[in-house]
Coordinates of all heavy atoms in Angstrom, one line a residue:
N241 N 87.9 112.2 75.2 CA 88.6 111.5 74.0 C 87.9 111.9 72.7 O 88.6 112.2 71.7 CB 88.6 110.0 74.3 CG 89.7 109.3 73.4 OD1 90.8 109.7 73.5 ND2 89.2 108.4 72.6
R242 N 86.6 111.9 72.8 CA 85.8 112.2 71.5 C 86.0 113.6 71.1 O 86.2 113.9 69.9 CB 84.3 111.9 71.8 CG 83.4 112.2 70.6 CD 82.1 111.4 70.7 NE 81.6 111.5 72.1 CZ 80.5 112.3 72.5 NH1 80.0 113.1 71.6 NH2 80.1 112.2 73.7
A243 N 86.0 114.5 72.1 CA 86.2 115.9 71.7 C 87.6 116.2 71.2 O 87.7 117.0 70.2 CB 86.0 116.8 73.0
I244 N 88.6 115.5 71.7 CA 89.9 115.7 71.2 C 90.0 115.1 69.7 O 90.6 115.8 68.9 CB 91.0 114.9 72.1 CG1 91.1 115.6 73.5 CG2 92.3 114.9 71.4 CD1 91.9 114.8 74.5
M245 N 89.4 114.0 69.5 CA 89.4 113.4 68.1 C 88.7 114.4 67.2 O 89.3 114.8 66.1 CB 88.7 112.1 68.1 CG 88.7 111.3 66.8 SD 87.4 111.9 65.7 CE 85.9 111.2 66.6
L246 N 87.5 114.8 67.5 CA 86.8 115.7 66.6 C 87.5 117.0 66.3 O 87.6 117.5 65.2 CB 85.4 115.9 67.2 CG 84.4 114.7 67.3 CD1 83.2 115.1 68.1 CD2 84.1 114.2 65.9
S247 N 88.1 117.6 67.4 CA 88.7 118.9 67.2 C 90.0 118.8 66.4 O 90.2 119.5 65.5 CB 89.0 119.5 68.6 OG 89.8 118.7 69.4
N248 N 90.8 117.8 66.8 CA 92.1 117.7 66.1 C 92.0 117.2 64.7 O 92.7 117.6 63.8 CB 93.1 116.9 67.0 CG 93.8 117.8 68.0 OD1 94.9 118.2 67.8 ND2 93.1 118.1 69.1
Q249 N 90.9 116.4 64.4 CA 90.7 116.0 63.0 C 90.2 117.3 62.2 O 90.2 117.3 61.0 CB 89.7 114.9 62.9 CG 90.2 113.5 63.3 CD 91.4 113.1 62.5 OE1 91.4 113.2 61.3 NE2 92.5 112.8 63.2
S250 N 89.7 118.3 63.0 CA 89.3 119.5 62.3 C 90.4 120.6 62.3 O 90.1 121.8 62.1 CB 88.0 120.1 63.0 OG 87.0 119.1 63.2
H251 N 91.6 120.1 62.7 CA 92.7 121.0 62.8 C 92.5 122.2 63.8 O 92.9 123.3 63.5 CB 93.1 121.6 61.5 CG 93.4 120.5 60.5 ND1 94.6 119.8 60.5 CD2 92.7 120.1 59.4 CE1 94.5 118.9 59.5 NE2 93.4 119.0 58.9
C252 N 91.7 121.9 64.9 CA 91.3 122.9 65.8 C 91.9 122.6 67.2 O 91.8 121.4 67.7 CB 89.8 123.0 65.9 SG 89.2 124.1 67.1
P253 N 92.6 123.6 67.9 CA 93.1 123.3 69.2 C 91.9 123.2 70.2 O 90.9 123.8 70.0 CB 94.0 124.5 69.5 CG 93.4 125.6 68.7 CD 92.8 124.9 67.5
L254 N 92.2 122.4 71.3 CA 91.1 122.2 72.2 C 91.5 122.5 73.7 O 92.7 122.2 74.0 CB 90.6 120.7 72.2 CG 89.4 120.4 73.0 CD1 88.1 121.0 72.5 CD2 89.2 118.9 73.1
Y255 N 90.6 123.1 74.5 CA 90.9 123.3 75.9 C 89.7 122.6 76.7 O 88.6 123.0 76.5 CB 90.8 124.8 76.1 CG 91.0 125.4 77.5 CD1 92.3 125.8 77.9 CD2 90.0 125.4 78.4 CE1 92.5 126.3 79.2 CE2 90.2 125.9 79.7 CZ 91.4 126.4 80.1 OH 91.6 126.9 81.4
V256 N 90.1 121.7 77.5 CA 89.1 120.9 78.2 C 88.9 121.6 79.6 O 89.9 121.7 80.4 CB 89.5 119.4 78.4 CG1 88.4 118.7 79.2 CG2 89.8 118.8 77.1
V257 N 87.7 122.1 79.8 CA 87.5 122.8 81.1 C 87.2 121.8 82.2 O 86.9 120.6 81.9 CB 86.3 123.8 80.9 CG1 86.5 124.8 79.8 CG2 85.0 123.1 80.7

Side-chain angles (χ1 to χ4, degrees):
N241 200 54
R242 178 159 44 102
I244 292 171
M245 183 276 289
L246 293 172
S247 60
N248 275 259
Q249 288 301 311
S250 311
H251 303 289
C252 176
L254 184 71
Y255 179 98
V256 180
V257 303

